[in-house]
């Protein structure tokens, strides 16, 4: 029998853990180190059975993925002895690898699925208290990536694939009364475009039962409804005739869909009428899915630029920003579901890993000038602080020790402590640490870029246009080097307006190093390159070909020369370019 989901019980457990965060952290570290004491990697650092935080952080070094790569490779190649964990790793996660342009290998085990479920349950308990749902379905834009076997016979797939294919996930979703409206064959179909089309079709078939619209990241929700705008008439036709479009060719997907798609001209007419009555697709979601309680997915960090479009589709429906985690494991839950995504914070769960924080104000943890570098940190090891010792208002880089063989692993994410819930901190996501626009003394983060684009994009509203997506590049081939910003715009903007946007972009980077370098011409004029329609879809396809899964996709916000595949797509799709005259 399925255990009923008890929100109060889950919240009580959470309160208990967070009240005692320091002790829970010490216990968690002890469990991790004991379970894995036979691992080659841990033995190397001579802990000799000691599990206290002080010995641990003084003997085991801080690492990045690059440092652990040889160990992970050994595991992938089938090393017959414990390398990073006591129990053998049988599955590898492919992280999205947004910056480098190709996925990274990360060890995965059942413990990570368990912690994922704990995170899902906890945030759901808080969400459901504020917005209760009953016996509904979720239109979940989720996908399984291609799985393959490594040389040593381990299964490798993206983190979400590993989670979505687990029995635990299905049980949890059922207990939370939000099973996906699409059959498994659609989720795990081999072609993302076809799966997306079928997700939309399933959504329409079950439109009155849909209570939640979900994807891991907001980009994927926006991408799905942009696609809906293109295929809605074809979807209506399928509903009318009960015959699936010929664009669906994967046999397992056709078979699964044939079981739920029946001719329904009334439904087709209803959807057709609703779509035709919308203005610029505003309020599409409540119009088609009238019982939707909220839209759920990660909407913070690099997802913020999609909020405007998401709100457009959402009409007045509540947007709820999901939790904070990575392929390397989860970090915190959003327990304030009534706050808008811009204000979302993440409360760290102290039993899902051991967490340390590197203060950014320490100077020695400063950024390096090479945004392509993976280990762009100085040789002096910065001093970390423990979970309960962080200071409100300070910014830190997150360091994770998890149950799947990562020890003192720098996540390369910057967070700000906004407060405490009981004795565990609440974090605001700030930005990726190594995504930087920098030429000499200038330092612009992903967030700075985002703000500049937002300021300049406002000008486009004069011509009823918007930025579909954007990225950037530092051009060092020109003398002096300069920033290049790539935009895909929703329609044809006038030259005059785009010139103005280009100047506004340049002026909106307010970092003192940038402004003074621009004034002295140590940095050249900013360049705005406008891309042809669909350029970012090509970039998405490129990442998917490399093994990324659609629901985990994040547009790279700064494309370095190392990421030549993406740079090539960008350069091949430029239709117009403008040089800033803001500092002439
Ligand atoms: P992945 O490579 O797909 O595992 O993505 C993990 C990364 O996504 C994290 O290291 C963060 O940079 C970003 N991320 C995950 N959750 C959030 C969140 N709630 N807010 C902002 N960024 C996030």
């Amino acid at each position: 029998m399925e255990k009923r989901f008890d929100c109060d019980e889950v919240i009580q457990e959470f309160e208990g853990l967070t009240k005692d965060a320091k002790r829970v952290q010490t216990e968690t570290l002890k469990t991790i180190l004991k379970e894995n004491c036979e691992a080659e990697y841990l033995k190397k650092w001579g802990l000799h059975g000691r599990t206290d935080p002080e010995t641990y952080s003084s003997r085991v070094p801080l690492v990045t993925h690059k440092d652990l790569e040889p160990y992970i490779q050994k595991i992938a190649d089938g090393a017959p002895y414990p390398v990073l964990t006591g129990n053998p790793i049988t599955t590898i996660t492919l992280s999205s690898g947004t910056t480098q342009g190709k996925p990274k290998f990360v060890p995965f085990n059942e413990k990570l699925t368990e912690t994922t479920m704990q995170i899902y349950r906890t945030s759901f308990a808080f969400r459901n208290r504020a917005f209760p749902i009953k016996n509904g379905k979720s239109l979940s834009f989720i996908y399984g990536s291609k799985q393959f076997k490594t040389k040593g016979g381990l299964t490798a797939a993206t983190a979400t694939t590993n989670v979505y294919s687990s029995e635990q996930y299905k049980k949890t979703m059922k207990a939370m009364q939000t099973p996906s409206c699409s059959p498994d064959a659609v989720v795990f179909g081999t072609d993302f475009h076809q799966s997306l089309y079928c997700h939309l079709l399933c959504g329409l078939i079950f439109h009155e039962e849909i209570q939640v619209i979900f994807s891991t990241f907001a980009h994927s929700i926006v991408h799905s409804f942009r696609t809906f705008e293109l295929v809605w008439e074809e979807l209506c036709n399928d509903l009318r005739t009960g015959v699936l479009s010929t664009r669906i060719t994967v046999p397992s997907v056709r078979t699964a869909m044939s079981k739920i798609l029946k001719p329904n001209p009334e439904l087709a007419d209803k959807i057709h009428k609703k779509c035709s009555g919308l203005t610029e697709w505003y309020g599409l979601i409540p119009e088609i899915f009238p019982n939707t309680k909220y839209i759920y997915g990660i909407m913070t960090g690099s997802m913020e630029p999609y909020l405007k479009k998401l709100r457009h589709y959402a009409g007045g429906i509540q947007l709820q920003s999901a939790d904070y985690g990575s392929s390397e494991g989860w970090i915190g839950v959003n327990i304030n579901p009534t706050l808008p995504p811009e204000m979302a914070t993440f409360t760290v769960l102290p039993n899902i890993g051991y967490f340390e924080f590197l203060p950014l104000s320490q100077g020695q943890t400063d950024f390096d000038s090479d945004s392509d570098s993976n280990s762009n940190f100085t040789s002096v090891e910065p001093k970390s602080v423990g979970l309960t010792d962080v200071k409100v208002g300070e910014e830190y880089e997150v360091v994770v020790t998890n149950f799947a063989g990562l020890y003192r692993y720098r996540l390369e994410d910057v967070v700000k402590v906004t407060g405490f819930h009981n004795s565990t901190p609440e974090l605001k996501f700030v930005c990726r640490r190594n995504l930087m626009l920098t030429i000499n003394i200038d330092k612009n983060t992903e967030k700075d870029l985002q703000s500049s684009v937002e300021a300049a994009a406002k000008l486009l509203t004069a011509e009823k246009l918007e930025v579909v997506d954007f990225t950037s590049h530092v051009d060092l081939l020109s003398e002096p080097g300069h920033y290049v910003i790539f935009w895909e715009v929703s329609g044809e903007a006038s030259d005059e307006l785009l010139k103005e946007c280009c100047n506004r972009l340049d002026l909106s980077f307010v970092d003192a190093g940038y402004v003074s370098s621009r004034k002295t011409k140590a940095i050249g004029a900013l360049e705005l390159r406008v891309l042809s329609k669909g350029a970012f879809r090509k970039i998405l396809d490129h990442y998917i070909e490399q093994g990324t899964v659609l629901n985990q996709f994040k547009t790279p916000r700064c494309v370095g020369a190392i990421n030549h595949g993406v740079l090539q797509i960008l350069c091949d799709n430029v239709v117009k370019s403008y040089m800033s005259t803001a500092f002439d």
Side-chain angles (χ1 to χ4, degrees), residues 283-358:
L284 164 66
I285 294 174
E287 187 62 18
I288 308 285
F289 309 104
N291 297 315
T292 309
K293 297 278 191 309
Y294 51 82
I295 299 160
Y296 186 58
I298 294 173
M299 298 172 187
T300 36
S302 64
M303 295 297 133
E304 269 185 39
Y306 307 112
L307 280 174
K308 194 165 168 232
K309 190 70 183 173
L310 198 50
R311 287 197 165 107
H312 181 85
Y313 288 132
I317 292 188
Q318 178 86 13
L319 301 187
Q320 303 228 350
S321 195
D323 311 312
Y324 172 34
S326 68
S327 303
E328 289 87 346
W330 288 92
I331 293 125
V333 269
N334 179 1
I335 60 164
N336 296 302
T338 51
L339 292 181
E342 288 86 348
M343 293 176 72
T345 57
F346 309 101
T347 307
V348 183
L349 267 179
N351 69 331
I352 59 174
Y354 179 73
F355 301 101
E356 294 169 82
F357 295 85
L358 299 174

Side-chain angles (χ1 to χ4, degrees), residues 12 73 86 211 223 229 250 255 271 287 315 321 331 366 416 458 536 548 551 573:
Q12 224 172 17
Q73 196 57 52
Q211 299 210 24
H223 177 79
E229 287 186 30
V250 178
T255 309
I271 303 287
E287 187 62 18
S321 195
I331 293 125
D366 233 354
K416 184 174 186 161
K458 277 198 186 123
F536 280 96
T548 302
N551 52 274
N573 284 279

Side-chain angles (χ1 to χ4, degrees), residues 204-487:
L204 295 182
I205 294 170
F206 297 106
H207 71 294
E208 281 179 344
E209 291 169 60
I210 302 296
Q211 299 210 24
V212 177
I213 311 273
F214 165 74
S215 190
T216 322
F217 286 99
H219 170 274
S220 160
I221 307 179
V222 170
H223 177 79
S224 305
F225 288 109
R226 281 193 204 277
T227 305
F228 183 87
E229 287 186 30
L230 303 174
V231 299
W232 68 281
E233 283 178 302
E234 204 174 327
L235 289 165
C236 285
N237 197 42
D238 290 4
L239 290 176
R240 180 166 293 111
T241 57
V243 179
L244 192 59
S245 159
T246 50
R247 70 163 74 215
I248 311 301
T249 54
V250 178
S252 58
V253 176
R254 286 200 77 89
T255 309
M257 288 303 293
S258 70
K259 293 190 184 132
I260 48 177
L261 178 65
K262 305 286 171 230
N264 190 341
E266 293 80 36
L267 177 60
D269 287 345
K270 183 172 146 187
I271 303 287
H272 198 281
K273 198 164 162 220
K274 281 174 182 280
C275 290
S276 311
L278 291 169
T279 309
E280 313 247 330
W281 298 99
Y282 177 81
L284 164 66
I285 294 174
E287 187 62 18
I288 308 285
F289 309 104
N291 297 315
T292 309
K293 297 278 191 309
Y294 51 82
I295 299 160
Y296 186 58
I298 294 173
M299 298 172 187
T300 36
S302 64
M303 295 297 133
E304 269 185 39
Y306 307 112
L307 280 174
K308 194 165 168 232
K309 190 70 183 173
L310 198 50
R311 287 197 165 107
H312 181 85
Y313 288 132
I317 292 188
Q318 178 86 13
L319 301 187
Q320 303 228 350
S321 195
D323 311 312
Y324 172 34
S326 68
S327 303
E328 289 87 346
W330 288 92
I331 293 125
V333 269
N334 179 1
I335 60 164
N336 296 302
T338 51
L339 292 181
E342 288 86 348
M343 293 176 72
T345 57
F346 309 101
T347 307
V348 183
L349 267 179
N351 69 331
I352 59 174
Y354 179 73
F355 301 101
E356 294 169 82
F357 295 85
L358 299 174
L360 246 70
S361 55
Q362 257 181 36
Q364 78 260 44
T365 57
D366 233 354
F367 302 97
D368 186 356
S369 61
D370 180 6
S371 63
D372 294 329
S373 159
N374 206 0
S375 50
N376 52 352
F377 309 106
T378 52
S379 50
V380 187
E381 177 150 315
K383 201 163 161 34
S384 65
V385 294
L387 178 72
T388 52
D389 300 320
V390 292
K391 301 246 173 336
V392 175
E394 290 287 310
E395 290 192 353
Y396 298 89
E397 183 192 340
V398 183
V399 177
V400 178
T401 295
N402 74 7
F403 285 92
L406 301 182
Y407 306 97
R408 308 199 76 220
Y409 179 97
R410 296 175 78 146
L411 210 54
E412 303 188 30
D413 280 345
V414 178
V415 294
K416 184 174 186 161
V417 179
T418 55
F420 277 84
H421 180 88
N422 296 322
S423 58
T424 196
E426 292 173 328
L427 312 174
K428 190 163 172 52
F429 183 88
V430 177
C431 59
R432 289 289 293 161
R433 188 167 189 266
N434 58 359
L435 283 180
M436 289 278 297
L437 282 167
T438 176
I439 290 173
N440 51 34
I441 53 166
D442 52 314
K443 279 179 186 161
N444 281 301
T445 63
E446 179 185 358
K447 196 147 184 79
D448 300 320
L449 169 67
Q450 221 159 280
S451 307
S452 293
V453 170
E454 204 181 309
K458 277 198 186 123
L459 301 174
L460 287 178
T461 52
E463 291 185 10
K464 289 207 163 64
L465 294 171
E466 61 187 354
V467 174
V468 173
D469 218 334
F470 65 93
T471 188
S472 66
H473 172 66
V474 169
D475 184 349
L476 295 172
L477 296 176
S478 59
E479 181 55 52
H482 70 286
Y483 291 4
V484 181
I485 311 295
F486 294 92
W487 273 11

